[in-house]
Amino acid sequence: MSRPPRETAAPAEPKPGRRTSQRPTIRDVSRLAGVSRMTVSRVLSDPELVLPTTRDKVFKAVADLGYVPDKTAGSLSSRRTGFIALMLPTLTNANFAAVAHGLTDALRGADYHLLIAYTDYDMAEEERQLRNLLARRPEAIVLTGAMHRRNASRMLMAADVPVVEIADLPSQPIEHAIGFSNYQVGRTAARYLLDRGFTRIGAIAASPEGEVTDHRGEERMRGFEEELRLARRSTDGVLRHGTAPVSFHHGAAAFRALVEQQPDIEAIFAVSDLSAVGAVMEAQRMNLRIPQDISIMGFGDFEIGREINPALTTIHVDFHALGLRTGKMLVDLLASDATPAPSTVDVGLRIVERASVRDR
Amino acid sequence: MSRPPRETAAPAEPKPGRRTSQRPTIRDVSRLAGVSRMTVSRVLSDPELVLPTTRDKVFKAVADLGYVPDKTAGSLSSRRTGFIALMLPTLTNANFAAVAHGLTDALRGADYHLLIAYTDYDMAEEERQLRNLLARRPEAIVLTGAMHRRNASRMLMAADVPVVEIADLPSQPIEHAIGFSNYQVGRTAARYLLDRGFTRIGAIAASPEGEVTDHRGEERMRGFEEELRLARRSTDGVLRHGTAPVSFHHGAAAFRALVEQQPDIEAIFAVSDLSAVGAVMEAQRMNLRIPQDISIMGFGDFEIGREINPALTTIHVDFHALGLRTGKMLVDLLASDATPAPSTVDVGLRIVERASVRDR
DNA sequence: TCCTTATATGGGACCGATATCATTTGGCAC
DNA sequence: GTGCCAAATGATATCGGTCCCATATAAGGA
C-alpha cells in the first residue's frame, strides 16, 4: 500500500540558508504526509488525481501545519499569476466602485484576484501605475478608455495580455472595449432638453485644463455642445467651473455661478449626478423651484438622485453590469487559448425620466 | 575598461524549454548590455552602486527591449512581495473608499501596493478572502475590526506579519488597532439628543440577524440603546429595518416605518449618514419639517450631508486620515526590523452640528 | 504467465528574479 | 614596484512552487 517516499530526507542539521520565516512550505507538508511535493501540489489543485487515502493524509498534514500555499511561487512556476489589473480614475465614485464590484463578482469562483490601481484623473499617474501593475504580470488589463499617454499605450500593446477599455468607446481601441459613448451621452442630454422645448440651455462641468482631467466628462460636454450647435442654439450657457473630479459641492457652486451669470437659463445638464444633485440643493437654497423655474438633468443615475426631491432626471448606465460583463468576457477569454478578434461592446444608455425636468 | 562577460553565452539553438512568452527577462537585458544579470538588478534597484557608464548601457538595453521586471520572481527571491492586504466590507461606501485612498497615498513612493478585497459584510466571505490574501504573502494586513470568525483570527495570528484592525477599537485586538469606538459613537449620539431635551428618541438601523451583518453599525446601536437605558428612556423607538448595508433608500423606508409606528417621535439617530439623508428626503415627501417636527442626526459625515437642506448634523470621523495614518505606521513598521508592541490608536470623533437637529 | 495499458506517484529541471560571497580592478601609501 | 583596501562586478545558490517526464503498481487481455 504505502511505498517508502523516494525523496531524500532533510539532513538533521539544516545548514543555514536564506530561510528565515517559520511558515511551512509544501516541502514540510510533503514530509509530514510522507508523500512527494508533487502529490501535495496535486491534492491542492486537482484532488481527483490522487487516491482518497493519500489525499486525506495530505489534507491532514495541511491542516496540522496550517499550510497556506504561496501563490507567488506558484505563479512564477506556472506562469499564471491569477491577477487581473484594474485601473480606474478613482474609487471614491459609486459608479467606478460598482464596476470593481461587478468585476469581482464575475471573477469570484474563477480564482482570479483584482489588482486595483487608480490614477486620480492624472495621466502621469496612470503611466506610473501601469508600470507597477505590469510588473505584477496580470493576465489581463482593464482600464477606463480612451485617452492614454503615448507611453502608456505602448506599454499596453507590448504587454501581450488581453486589454479591455471600459466606460467609453474609444475611436481607436487598443484591443477590446466594453462601454458606452460619452459623446452620445452629451448629445442625448442636449437632444432631450431641446425636445422638451427649452431654448436657453446650459451645462456645468469641470474645467478641462491640465493633466488632471476627466476625459470622459469632457467627451460628454463635447457631445452636448455639438448637439446645441447643430440645433443652432447658443453654447454660452455651458459653464466650466473648478477642477475634476466633480462633487456635490462643485455642482452647488457651479449652479450658483451659472444662474448669476445667465439668470434666464431654463435647463441645465450636469456632467455627473453628483453635480446635478448639488445643483438641486443649491437651487432650493436660492428659492428657485425645480423644475418649475429651472430644469436639471444629470448623468450616472446615482442612488441619491432617486431619493432627492424632486427626483433627478438622468442618463443611466449600468456600471455594475458593465463590470460583470467585462469579468465574464475575461474569464471566457482566458480559458480559451485562442486569441479572438478585438471586440467592442456598447452597453448603451437610457434616459431615466424623473421629476427634475419638465416640459416647457 | 570593459572586461569580457564571464557568464556563459546562451547556446545558439536554445533547447525547447517551458518558456513560451516573448517577454524579455533580466537575462535578455544583461546579454544586450554585456553585463551580468546581477548588475542589471542593481541598476534597477539601486543605481548608485553601479558605474555611470555601465548604468547607461543597462538603461539603454532596458529601454530598447521594453523590459519590465517581474515582481513575482523578485518577490520570491527577496521574500518581500511589496503587498499590503486591505480587507473592507465594501468599496461602495465613500468612507471605506476614503480609507483605501488614504492608505494608497501613504504607500505611494514607499513602493508598496494595496491588495484589496472586500467581504460584502459576510463573515464566511471574510474567511475565504483572507485565505486568498494570505496566499499572496502580504507584508501586512489591514482589515476592519473587531469581529472575525475563529478561523479567521487564527489565520491572522499565524500569518506572522503586522495586522492592523481599523475603523473600530476591538476589546481584544489581534495586534494593532487604529480607529474609534463605534459604541461611543452610539452613546455620543444619544447623549447629544438627550442634552437637547428630547425625550422620545428613536433610531434606524439594519436588522442584526444572519452572517451578513454590519458589526460596526451594531456597536453604534448598542451604545445608543445603552445611553438611553442609563437615562431611563424607552428604547422602543429603535427600529430595525431591512438588511445591511444601509442606503439612502433604506433610510427613507425605515424613517417612514418608524414615524408610522411612533408618530410622536421627536429625534432620530441613523446608523449612517446614508440612512439619515434618506430619512430627511422622506420627511420632505411626508411634509414633515426637519428639524421643526423631527430632528435627525447621522454618522459618517458624508459629503452629501453638507449639501442637503437642512444640512445634516452628524458625527465625523476622518476616514482618509485614518487610512493615511495606517499607511504611515505600516511604512515605519516595515522599515524597522524590530517588532514593536501592539498599539491602539483612537482617532476620535466629533459632533458636527448643522441644521437637522434643533433644541427642543 | 506475460505483455499492454491505465493509474498513481515521484524526481528533477525550471520559472525570473535577488542574496551572498567571490573575484577583479584601480587607487593610493610606502 | 608591491601590498592593501575599497569599489565594481560576477558566479552561483536559492526562493517555493509546478511542469514534464519517468517509474512503479494495478488491472485486463491473450
Side-chain angles (χ1 to χ4, degrees), chain A residues 97-132:
Chain A
V99 169
H101 214 287
L103 251 171
T104 311
D105 290 348
L107 264 31
R108 206 189 308 276
D111 209 32
Y112 285 104
H113 197 117
L114 269 195
L115 205 49
I116 303 177
Y118 51 87
T119 65
D120 277 323
Y121 293 95
D122 181 335
M123 300 298 272
E125 183 67 16
E126 177 181 82
E127 203 177 317
R128 272 194 298 276
Q129 291 293 342
L130 183 56
R131 194 179 308 275
N132 282 341

Side-chain angles (χ1 to χ4, degrees), chain A residues 48-84:
Chain A
E48 296 305 307
L49 290 174
V50 178
L51 277 183
T53 42
T54 315
R55 201 190 297 163
D56 292 344
K57 279 189 297 186
V58 171
F59 279 137
K60 180 165 187 322
V62 166
D64 287 353
L65 291 172
Y67 170 70
V68 178
D70 184 334
K71 280 220 180 198
T72 302
S75 298
L76 181 60
S77 176
S78 68
R79 309 169 126 298
R80 297 199 48 239
T81 58
F83 279 133
I84 290 185

Side-chain angles (χ1 to χ4, degrees), chain A residues 6-7 18 35-36 39 42 50-51 54 76-77 79:
Chain A
R6 275 175 296 181
E7 288 208 338
R18 272 159 69 193
V35 299
S36 71
T39 297
R42 275 195 274 262
V50 178
L51 277 183
T54 315
L76 181 60
S77 176
R79 309 169 126 298

Side-chain angles (χ1 to χ4, degrees), chain A residues 89 290 299 326 351:
Chain A
I290 311 293
F299 163 77
T326 304
I351 293 182

Side-chain angles (χ1 to χ4, degrees), chain B residues 260-316:
Chain B
E260 282 171 358
Q261 189 181 305
Q262 314 249 341
D264 58 352
I265 202 94
E266 297 170 339
I268 296 176
F269 168 59
V271 74
S272 157
D273 274 10
L274 299 178
S275 304
V277 169
V280 169
M281 295 301 150
E282 186 69 12
Q284 289 177 359
R285 289 189 283 272
M286 295 171 76
N287 287 316
L288 288 168
R289 293 164 306 162
I290 311 290
Q292 293 86 341
D293 298 328
I294 301 184
S295 287
I296 298 179
M297 75 182 291
F299 163 77
D301 197 10
F302 286 63
E303 197 213 344
I304 184 68
R306 278 193 283 277
E307 290 298 326
I308 61 170
N309 306 303
L312 187 68
T313 291
T314 189
I315 294 180
H316 171 97

Side-chain angles (χ1 to χ4, degrees), chain B residues 6-7 36-39 42 50-51 54 76-77 79:
Chain B
R6 275 175 296 180
E7 287 207 342
S36 71
R37 285 173 298 158
M38 204 50 233
T39 298
R42 282 196 194 94
V50 177
L51 277 183
T54 316
L76 182 60
S77 177
R79 309 174 125 293

Side-chain angles (χ1 to χ4, degrees), chain B residues 42-305:
Chain B
R42 282 196 194 94
V43 168
L44 296 177
S45 62
D46 191 353
E48 295 305 306
L49 290 175
V50 177
L51 277 183
T53 42
T54 316
R55 202 190 297 164
D56 292 345
K57 278 190 296 184
V58 171
F59 280 136
K60 179 164 188 326
V62 165
D64 288 354
L65 292 172
Y67 171 70
V68 178
D70 184 335
K71 280 221 181 196
T72 302
S75 299
L76 182 60
S77 177
S78 67
R79 309 174 125 293
R80 294 198 49 237
T81 58
F83 280 133
I84 290 184
L86 173 63
M87 189 154 54
L88 297 170
T90 178
L91 282 181
T92 319
N93 173 300
N95 280 344
F96 287 131
V99 169
H101 213 288
L103 251 170
T104 311
D105 290 347
L107 263 30
R108 206 189 308 276
D111 208 34
Y112 285 103
H113 197 116
L114 269 196
L115 204 51
I116 304 177
Y118 51 87
T119 65
D120 276 323
Y121 293 95
D122 180 337
M123 301 298 272
E125 184 66 18
E126 176 181 85
E127 203 177 317
R128 273 193 296 277
Q129 291 292 342
L130 183 56
R131 194 179 309 274
N132 282 340
L133 289 174
L134 288 175
R136 302 289 184 177
R137 298 293 187 264
E139 296 180 47
I141 299 173
V142 181
L143 72 171
T144 47
M147 281 295 294
H148 315 288
R149 281 191 169 186
R150 178 106 50 81
N151 238 334
S153 295
R154 194 160 38 199
M155 287 164 71
L156 286 169
M157 321 276 282
D160 196 32
V161 295
V163 173
V164 188
E165 292 171 283
I166 58 167
D168 211 337
L169 290 180
S171 52
Q172 292 191 298
I174 294 177
E175 189 178 0
H176 306 286
I178 299 185
F180 57 94
S181 164
N182 283 283
Y183 173 81
Q184 273 305 326
V185 167
R187 290 200 59 169
T188 302
R191 173 50 42 206
Y192 181 76
L193 295 178
L194 288 166
D195 286 349
R196 300 273 111 23
F198 297 111
T199 48
R200 281 182 293 281
I201 299 176
I204 52 181
S207 176
E209 275 118 49
E211 278 254 313
V212 179
T213 311
D214 174 10
H215 286 281
R216 302 170 42 277
E218 282 310 306
E219 278 297 287
R220 298 199 279 278
M221 297 315 288
R222 194 169 67 82
F224 189 81
E225 294 191 343
E226 180 75 3
E227 188 72 23
L228 287 189
R229 268 194 294 273
L230 290 172
R232 306 195 173 285
R233 293 291 153 72
S234 162
T235 58
D236 292 350
V238 175
L239 180 78
R240 300 318 195 98
H241 185 272
T243 56
V246 298
S247 61
F248 295 117
H249 181 73
H250 170 273
F255 177 83
R256 177 176 287 271
L258 178 54
V259 169
E260 282 171 358
Q261 189 181 305
Q262 314 249 341
D264 58 352
I265 202 94
E266 297 170 339
I268 296 176
F269 168 59
V271 74
S272 157
D273 274 10
L274 299 178
S275 304
V277 169
V280 169
M281 295 301 150
E282 186 69 12
Q284 289 177 359
R285 289 189 283 272
M286 295 171 76
N287 287 316
L288 288 168
R289 293 164 306 162
I290 311 290
Q292 293 86 341
D293 298 328
I294 301 184
S295 287
I296 298 179
M297 75 182 291
F299 163 77
D301 197 10
F302 286 63
E303 197 213 344
I304 184 68

